């Protein structure tokens, strides 16, 4: 049973560019959350998707947007990249009150 | 962004020693979770706590959900080298609130175990 799958694993982008990160949830999970983890910090909640709609959002600017597809997979889009957007981006999936399962993340470096 | 107060920030211990770390919050949580994260990986769930006062074990790990619902601790007994990693606490607010579904994480405890 595959867990949460994220792609790509690593990415280097230039300031001002746009990036799309992808996540496939664990089988049976219908809710996807995205987190940003800066070096040496705990993950910070970006937003959560359920039934193809954004259900919750953290304190992130509108440059961060997302989408959930009918098969429950999800994308995180970041526009106008800043150096400070460099981080590990984690996707977590869940179903009901089950604990969240995290993927291995996408390491984004903005230069 | 908001984070829980997790302590200690780092620990250096000898193999075989016991370890204790804790998290406190100014907000009430309905669920406390403890995760371990290895380099280059995502957090892996160790223990989930769903009820105030609950004490739960997973092998050598024991965690408790504080009575006030604003704190939790994790103990690791008889540490071994593979316990090395970063441990995070995370809290989930009550259902029905505006933040339900959002996990708030502590800053992590870096554990080093010397053989």
């Amino acid at each position: 049973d595959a867990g949460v799958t994220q792609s790509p694993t690593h990415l280097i982008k230039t300031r001002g560019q746009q990036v799309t990160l992808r996540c496939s949830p664990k089988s049976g999970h219908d809710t996807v959350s995205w987190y940003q983890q800066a070096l040496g910090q705990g993950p910070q909640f970006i937003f959560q998707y359920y039934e193809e709609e954004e259900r919750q959002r953290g304190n992130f600017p509108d440059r961060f947007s997302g989408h959930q597809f009918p098969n429950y997979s999800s994308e995180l889009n970041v526009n106008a990249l800043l150096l400070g957007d460099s981080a590990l981006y984690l996707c977590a999936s869940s179903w009901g009150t089950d604990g969240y399962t995290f993927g291995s993340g996408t390491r984004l470096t903005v230069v | 962004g908001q984070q829980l107060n997790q302590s200690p920030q780092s620990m250096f211990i000898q193999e075989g020693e016991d370890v204790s770390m804790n998290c406190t919050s100014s907000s009430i949580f309905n669920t406390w979770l403890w995760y371990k994260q290895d380099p280059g990986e995502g957090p892996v769930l160790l223990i989930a706590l769903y009820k105030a006062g609950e004490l739960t074990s997973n092998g050598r790990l024991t965690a408790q959900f504080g009575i006030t619902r604003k704190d939790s601790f994790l103990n690791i007994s008889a540490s071994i080298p593979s316990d090395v990693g970063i441990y995070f606490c995370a809290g989930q607010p009550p259902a029905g609130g505006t933040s339900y579904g959002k996990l708030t994480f502590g800053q992590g405890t870096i554990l080093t175990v010397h053989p």
Side-chain angles (χ1 to χ4, degrees):
Chain A
D1 180 21
V4 178
T5 305
Q6 292 188 244
S7 63
T9 55
H10 296 84
L11 201 53
I12 299 175
K13 288 286 189 179
T14 304
R15 278 178 296 175
Q17 284 189 316
Q18 179 264 345
V19 69
T20 298
L21 310 181
R22 295 176 176 81
C23 172
S24 293
K26 181 178 178 180
S27 177
H29 286 185
D30 59 2
T31 302
V32 172
S33 304
W34 286 92
Y35 290 80
Q36 180 194 65
Q37 187 177 22
L39 204 60
Q41 300 292 319
Q44 294 283 322
F45 177 79
I46 302 175
F47 42 53
Q48 182 181 82
Y49 277 84
Y50 172 71
E51 292 188 341
E52 302 179 50
E53 290 191 356
E54 184 182 290
R55 182 163 69 172
Q56 291 284 349
R57 189 178 182 91
N59 295 324
F60 280 81
D62 292 343
R63 298 186 297 109
F64 289 77
S65 63
H67 189 78
Q68 185 179 34
F69 299 94
N71 66 354
Y72 307 120
S73 67
S74 177
E75 289 182 348
L76 164 65
N77 300 294
V78 186
N79 294 323
L81 284 167
L82 304 173
L83 294 179
D85 294 332
S86 295
L88 180 68
Y89 287 85
L90 295 164
C91 171
S93 70
S94 60
W95 180 83
T97 57
D98 284 354
Y100 297 82
T101 301
F102 282 83
S104 296
T106 294
R107 173 70 62 187
L108 173 65
T109 302
V110 182
V111 298
Chain B
Q2 178 190 3
Q3 284 193 323
L4 303 176
N5 296 316
Q6 184 173 348
S7 64
Q9 290 186 337
S10 61
M11 302 184 73
F12 299 84
I13 62 170
Q14 291 293 128
E15 183 177 358
E17 290 184 351
D18 296 343
V19 171
S20 183
M21 58 193 78
N22 67 83
C23 268
T24 60
S25 169
S26 58
S27 304
I28 288 174
F29 289 115
N30 259 22
T31 302
W32 280 94
L33 306 168
W34 285 91
Y35 286 89
K36 183 188 179 208
Q37 186 174 26
D38 292 326
E41 299 293 328
V44 174
L45 182 65
L46 299 174
I47 291 181
L49 303 158
Y50 300 105
K51 187 177 176 181
E54 179 182 355
L55 184 71
T56 297
S57 294
N58 178 7
R60 294 178 296 106
L61 278 61
T62 302
Q64 184 158 30
F65 192 142
I67 290 291
T68 65
R69 295 166 63 192
K70 293 182 178 181
D71 64 318
S72 177
F73 72 76
L74 174 70
N75 286 341
I76 305 173
S77 63
S79 59
I80 59 178
S82 63
D83 290 334
V84 165
I86 305 176
Y87 292 79
F88 289 99
C89 62
Q92 178 169 311
T98 57
S99 296
Y100 179 67
K102 165 188 172 182
L103 291 183
T104 299
F105 281 81
Q107 290 183 308
T109 295
I110 302 172
L111 179 62
T112 303
V113 180
H114 294 287

